[in-house]
Amino acid sequence: MSAVRSHDERLEELIAVDALGGLDPSDRQELHLALTDHGDDCPDCAVLLAAHAEAAAALALALDPAPVGSWEEERLMAAVRLSPRPQTGRQAEPSPPRDLPPGVVALEPRRRARRWISAVAVAASLTIGILAGFAVAPRAPSGTSALLAFEARPGTRLATLHPASGSGRALTVAYRPGETAAWIVGSELTKPTGGRTFELWYHRTEDPPGQMSPAGVFVPSHGHVLAEVHVGATVDVLAVSVEPPGGSDHPTTKPIFVSATLA
């Protein structure tokens, strides 16, 4: 990974966590310096700031609200009482172990919590295109919470599939190397006519060039795509084509979305 790419990924992580209010003062200063370095007129920064702010706002729509029962409230308050309090001056001594009530675990350091927040922020950004249209919808589409849970797990990677035509919105596939489960997400996609379907394809590193395997079929709902698919454990290229009803064993048309070679 190049230093430039690593720097850009770090900046996006800071923006994502900041949108959810998870930065401490040192990280907020790092974000400020990075944004200053890019300049006030940086178009990429403007896109990231707007996208993650929208994702943070839309995340509240991803799950239906549920009332908190007395037992959940009791567990939460117990966790707060048992969590270590910050100390000023000399470095705080480690707190002795405590007996925790059933179902309560000790809170981990804030930096580890920020990594979890960052994962959720990335997952939320995946669903921006879907959630942004929910102003008139009663709830998020089926599978949204499952996608968020999948994306929050360590090791998840995101692959962007750009339109082969060079214009239009891209699709995103969330996957984990070594596993076959994956999710494809997108928006502003027109449903194929004549009962045809979109189909995701993958190429494994050990396969001959050009040999693509089926990963699953999907059709957009109101222009949005959110579907669970299955890829190879060693996938290095992803593509989408339009196929006959029910899908095909191998691509029968030219791909309309293609990823770059995956590391």
Side-chain angles (χ1 to χ4, degrees), residues 172-251:
T172 300
V173 173
Y175 71 101
R176 280 191 290 272
E179 301 181 20
T180 60
W183 286 82
I184 186 166
V185 180
S187 62
E188 298 184 15
L189 193 62
T190 302
K191 185 177 181 178
T193 59
R196 295 181 298 170
T197 184
F198 291 112
E199 188 161 5
L200 177 67
W201 306 92
Y202 65 90
H203 178 269
R204 299 181 302 176
T205 54
E206 64 267 26
D207 288 338
Q211 178 177 316
M212 304 294 286
S213 301
V217 298
F218 60 94
V219 292
S221 175
H222 303 291
H224 303 304
V225 174
L226 177 59
E228 187 175 11
V229 291
H230 293 84
V231 300
T234 57
V235 61
D236 60 8
V237 174
L238 295 165
V240 170
S241 64
V242 178
E243 298 298 329
S248 307
D249 293 331
H250 56 84

Side-chain angles (χ1 to χ4, degrees), residues 86-91:
Q87 298 184 22
T88 58
R90 65 182 181 87
Q91 184 175 355

Side-chain angles (χ1 to χ4, degrees), residues 8 25 28 54 73 88 97 102 108 113 132-133 142 147 152 157-158 164 169 179-180 182 190 208 215 243 248 251:
D8 290 344
R28 188 176 295 278
E54 183 178 2
E73 183 178 357
T88 58
E108 298 187 4
S142 174
L147 167 66
R157 297 183 182 180
L158 307 180
R169 297 289 294 269
E179 301 181 20
T180 60
T190 302
E243 298 298 329
S248 307

Side-chain angles (χ1 to χ4, degrees), residues 64 85 99 101-102 105 119 131 134 141-142 148 150 163 166 174 179 203 239 261:
D64 288 332
R85 291 180 172 81
D99 294 329
V105 296
L131 298 177
F134 289 167
S142 174
L148 294 174
F150 179 91
E179 301 181 20
H203 178 269
T261 302

Side-chain angles (χ1 to χ4, degrees), residues 12-13 15-16 19-20 47-48 50-59 117-132 147-148 151 158 169-170 172 185-187:
E12 182 168 4
E13 178 185 345
I15 291 175
L20 296 177
V47 170
L48 288 175
H52 285 290
E54 183 178 2
L59 187 58
I117 292 174
S118 178
V120 173
V122 173
S125 67
L126 272 179
T127 58
I128 287 175
I130 298 172
L131 298 177
L147 167 66
L148 294 174
E151 177 56 30
L158 307 180
R169 297 289 294 269
T172 300
V185 180
S187 62

Side-chain angles (χ1 to χ4, degrees), residues 8-145:
D8 290 344
E9 290 180 350
R10 173 59 177 164
L11 174 58
E12 182 168 4
E13 178 185 345
L14 290 171
I15 291 175
V17 178
D18 186 51
L20 296 177
L23 291 184
D24 62 17
S26 63
D27 284 340
R28 188 176 295 278
Q29 177 67 13
E30 181 184 351
L31 173 60
H32 173 73
L33 293 175
L35 292 174
T36 301
D37 182 58
H38 279 228
D40 294 338
D41 58 348
C42 176
D44 293 335
C45 290
V47 170
L48 288 175
L49 288 167
H52 285 290
E54 183 178 2
L59 187 58
L61 301 176
L63 296 174
D64 288 332
V68 177
S70 58
W71 170 236
E72 286 80 5
E73 183 178 357
E74 182 178 330
R75 290 173 57 193
L76 175 60
M77 295 308 299
V80 171
R81 289 193 298 269
L82 293 173
S83 62
R85 291 180 172 81
Q87 298 184 22
T88 58
R90 65 182 181 87
Q91 184 175 355
E93 297 294 332
S95 300
R98 300 171 180 260
D99 294 329
L100 302 179
V104 175
V105 296
L107 300 182
E108 298 187 4
R110 184 174 179 180
R111 182 167 297 275
R112 187 173 300 176
R114 287 202 308 275
R115 288 200 294 268
W116 180 86
I117 292 174
S118 178
V120 173
V122 173
S125 67
L126 272 179
T127 58
I128 287 175
I130 298 172
L131 298 177
F134 289 167
V136 295
R139 57 175 298 163
S142 174
T144 300
S145 58

